[in-house]
Amino acid sequence: MTIGDQIIPFSPVPDTELSAIAKQLRRDIVTMISTAGSGHPGGSLSAVEIITALYFKIMRHCPSEPGWIERDRFILSKGHAAPALYAALAESGYFPVSELATLRKLGSRLQGHADRTATPGVEMSSGSLGQGLSFGVGTALAAGLNNKKYRVYVLIGGGECNEGQVWEAAMSAYHFKLDNMVAFIDHNELQLDGTNHDIMNIEPLGEKWSAFGWHTIEIDGHNFNEILSSLEEAKNIKGQPTAIVAHTIKGKGISYMENKVEFHGKAPNPEETKKALQELA
Amino acid sequence: MSEIKKASMRDAYGKTLAELSVINKDIVVLDADLSKSTRTNLCADKFPDRFFNVGIAEQNMIGIAAGLAAAGKTVFASSFAVFAPGRCFDQMRLSVAQPSLNVKVVATHGGLTVGEDGASHQAIEDLALASVLPGFHVVVPADAVETAQVIRTAANIYGPFYIRLSRIDLPIVYQNDFQFILGKASLLCQGKDVTIIAIGVMIVAALNAAEQLQSENISCRVLNMSTLKPIDEQAIIAAARETGAIVTAEEHQENGGLGSMVARIVTRNKPVPMSFVAVKDSFGESGKPDELLKKYGLTASDIVREVYSVISRK
C-alpha cells in the first residue's frame, strides 16, 4: 500500500500461514483453468510453494504500486505456469481475485502466457521458453548500474533447461558475478512429450548449474522450510548467482494429476474440477 | 560519383555512441564478441562500466538488453546482421517487440557487400525479419553522415529499433548539416519520368543510374527511403502520382524487403508500373563486394534496365 508518496511494502505473512495460502493458490489455479477450458495445470501446481514463498514471505514488493522501483523482481520464465503467478498476484492484492475467472478470455488482462503489457505485476512476457533468465541477467545488471538493492528471482522449468539460451544466460550471470539473482528450477521431471529422461535428459541438473559457476542448492520444492532456508542462504552468497534446483511434483496437490504428463496442458473437466476442489478443501 | 569521398558507417556508429554516452547516462551498450568489428569498442573504451560483452551468445544479448531496458536503460545491442536479427529473432519478438522495450539493435555487415566471408555472413533477409515485428522502427542509413544522425535519433526516441549498417565504407551522400527525420524519405534528385526508391548501398547506384538516364533524356526522381518502418507513404504516393513509374533498389531479398513494402502502398493508393532491383531468392557467395553486386544484379546498369522496363509499361 501507499501512504501519501510513501511506499509501504507487502507485509510478509507468518510461516505458519504459507501452507494455507499455497492451498488457496491451488484452488485458484484449478478453478481458473477449468473455467478457461484450457491451460497448463501440471506445471502451475508444481511451482506453487516457490511462488507462495516469494510473494508472501521473501520479496519486497508493493501490490498497489507494481512499478515500485525498489521492488524485488520475479520473472516467470516458464510462461505457461502463468495461472500460478496470477493467483499469487491476485491473492496478494495486485488485482481482484474475481478477475482470475477471465483467464484466457478475449480482452482479459490475464493472457494465456505471462504478458508484461497486460497484467499488473507481471515483469516480463514469456511463453517462448528459455528467455526469462537472460531478462533476469539484464535486470540484475541494471540494479548495479542504478545502485539499487533489489533482488531478482527467475523461475525456470526443468524441461526448459533443454533450451540453449538458458545456458548462455547461466554462463553470463556467473561471468558478471550477479549475486543479486536467484534461479529456481522447477524440476518436476516431466515435459510435454514425456519424462525429461526419455525426451531429453537434463541430468545431472544440479551439477550442471554448479559447473556453470552457480552456487547450487537442491531442495524439496514443496517444503517451505527448505525453500525459505535456501533463499536465506542465497542472500549471503557473494560474487556468484544462486541456483535452487527444486525437486517438485507435476500436478502437485491433486491426486489424479500428480506425475501425470497428460495434465501438462489440459484443463480438468467439470467432474475432475469438483474432485480437485474437494481434495483441496 | 566515383570521386566522392568514402567513410565508415561503423566508425560513425561507434563515435556517435561515445558522444551520446557523455550526456546520456542511461545508455548501455552490449556486444556479442564483435565489438572490434561493429565498433562499439569506440564507446566501450570510454565507458567500460556501461558496456557488457556477452560473448558469442546473441539470444542472451537480446534478453539482457530487454532486462536493462525494462529497468530504464537505453540499450544499444550490436552484432552482425546475420546474427541479429538472424540468430535472435524470437528474442527480438517476445523479449523486445511484444513488451515494446527501449532496445536498439544495431547490426553491421548487412547485405552481400560483406564480401569474401560468403553466404553464411551475408544478411539479405534481415530487413524482412525486423520489419515484420510490430513496433520496431527499421532504418538503413545511406552513408556515415546519415548513420550518425540515425543513431542520435534512435537514442532520443523511445522504442525498439533495428538499424542496418554496411561493412564497407560507403560514398558520402550527405553534407554535415543534413537532418535525418525518422519516417521521412529524403529527396536526392528531382525528376518527372520515373522514381527510383533505394536504400543503403544502392543509393549511389541509384544516383549513378539517374545521371546516366538524364543523358538519355529520362528524368529520374531518386528517394532515399532510409526509414523502412514507419515508411514514408506520402512520398511513395507522390512518386507514383507525379512520375507514374517506380523502381526500387535494395541489397536484400526481393521477398519482404523495400520493394514489397513500396508495392503494397502503391497498389493500395495509386497503381503504377513497378520493378524491383533486389536479390532474387538466392544466397550470396564469396567475392569482392563490387563483383557480388554485379553478379547478383545490384548495379546502376541493373537499375537503368528496370527503369526502361517500367517506362515501357506506363
Side-chain angles (χ1 to χ4, degrees), chain B residues 280-291:
Chain B
K280 308 293 185 187
D281 204 28
S282 74
F283 287 99
E285 62 185 290
S286 292
K288 291 187 180 6
D290 286 345
E291 294 171 341

Side-chain angles (χ1 to χ4, degrees), chain B residues 54-256:
Chain B
V54 303
I56 309 163
E58 297 78 15
Q59 302 173 45
N60 189 37
M61 175 172 74
I62 298 300
I64 292 175
L68 286 160
K73 298 301 180 186
T74 300
V75 188
F76 283 80
S78 281
S79 182
F80 291 171
V82 279
F83 307 130
R87 191 65 179 256
C88 53
F89 176 75
D90 189 32
Q91 288 73 20
M92 285 173 62
R93 178 180 180 273
L94 188 64
S95 286
V96 177
Q98 197 276 344
S100 193
L101 291 171
N102 202 18
V103 174
K104 325 296 176 181
V105 179
V106 182
T108 66
H109 294 59
L112 293 174
T113 51
V114 164
E116 291 82 347
D117 278 351
S120 70
H121 278 54
Q122 292 161 348
I124 45 180
E125 313 82 8
D126 56 320
L127 301 175
L129 288 171
S131 296
V132 81
L133 293 172
F136 252 87
H137 305 84
V138 180
V139 190
V140 186
D143 70 1
V145 175
E146 189 172 30
T147 298
Q149 292 273 332
V150 168
I151 297 302
R152 286 179 185 282
T153 301
N156 291 328
I157 293 180
Y158 184 90
F161 273 73
Y162 175 67
I163 298 165
R164 180 217 248 199
L165 307 180
S166 294
R167 180 185 74 82
I168 55 171
D169 293 356
L170 293 186
I172 293 290
V173 176
Y174 291 108
Q175 305 294 316
N176 282 328
D177 60 356
F178 167 71
Q179 187 66 49
F180 167 78
I181 300 170
L182 185 69
K184 288 287 169 208
S186 125
L187 178 69
L188 294 175
C189 179
Q190 190 52 282
K192 60 181 175 48
D193 298 327
V194 63
T195 300
I196 304 167
I197 302 178
I199 51 170
V201 167
M202 299 307 293
I203 290 292
V204 170
L207 291 170
N208 287 340
E211 196 175 287
Q212 182 188 328
L213 287 159
Q214 189 64 50
S215 69
E216 296 164 21
N217 290 322
I218 293 172
S219 162
C220 296
R221 178 179 301 184
V222 178
L223 291 177
N224 172 15
M225 194 60 68
S226 45
T227 309
L228 281 184
K229 195 178 177 189
I231 203 161
D232 188 345
E233 294 206 17
Q234 295 313 312
I236 294 168
I237 295 166
R241 288 217 171 99
E242 293 161 19
T243 69
I246 293 174
V247 174
T248 60
E250 62 195 302
E251 190 192 11
H252 187 270
Q253 297 285 6
E254 188 176 58
N255 288 329

Side-chain angles (χ1 to χ4, degrees), chain A residues 138-154:
Chain A
T139 309
L141 285 172
L145 293 171
N146 293 337
N147 207 17
K148 296 293 178 193
K149 299 291 180 209
Y150 64 75
R151 292 179 66 75
V152 180
Y153 300 96
V154 183

Side-chain angles (χ1 to χ4, degrees), chain A residues 25-84:
Chain A
L25 296 197
R26 287 202 161 86
R27 283 194 289 269
D28 291 339
I29 290 166
V30 170
T31 306
M32 79 175 99
I33 293 176
S34 173
T35 305
S38 68
H40 299 81
S44 298
L45 292 164
S46 63
V48 164
E49 279 77 13
I50 296 165
I51 288 176
T52 301
L54 288 171
Y55 274 90
F56 292 87
K57 188 73 189 178
I58 296 292
M59 292 202 304
R60 292 181 78 233
H61 65 117
C62 180
S64 64
E65 292 290 330
W68 180 35
I69 201 160
E70 309 290 345
R71 73 191 182 283
D72 289 334
R73 270 74 163 170
F74 174 74
I75 296 147
L76 181 72
S77 191
K78 46 175 290 186
H80 56 287

Side-chain angles (χ1 to χ4, degrees), chain A residues 73 115-117 124-128 131 133-135 137-139 141-142 145-146 150 165 168-169 172 175-176, chain B residues 26 28 49-50 52-54 56-60 63-64 66-68 70-71 73 90-91 94-96 98-99 101:
Chain A
R73 270 74 163 170
D115 185 336
R116 175 183 165 86
T117 67
M124 190 48 188
S125 300
S126 54
S128 176
Q131 299 196 25
L133 195 61
S134 300
F135 184 86
V137 170
T139 309
L141 285 172
L145 293 171
N146 293 337
Y150 64 75
Q165 189 186 352
E168 292 184 2
S172 64
H175 179 79
F176 295 128
Chain B
D26 282 330
V28 178
D49 295 344
R50 288 192 269 147
F52 298 100
N53 197 329
V54 303
I56 309 163
E58 297 78 15
Q59 302 173 45
N60 189 37
I64 292 175
L68 286 160
K73 298 301 180 186
D90 189 32
Q91 288 73 20
L94 188 64
S95 286
V96 177
Q98 197 276 344
L101 291 171

Side-chain angles (χ1 to χ4, degrees), chain A residues 176-189:
Chain A
F176 295 128
K177 301 181 172 60
L178 299 177
D179 53 19
N180 57 348
M181 85 183 281
V182 171
F184 268 104
I185 297 88
D186 179 4
H187 191 8
N188 59 37
E189 299 186 17

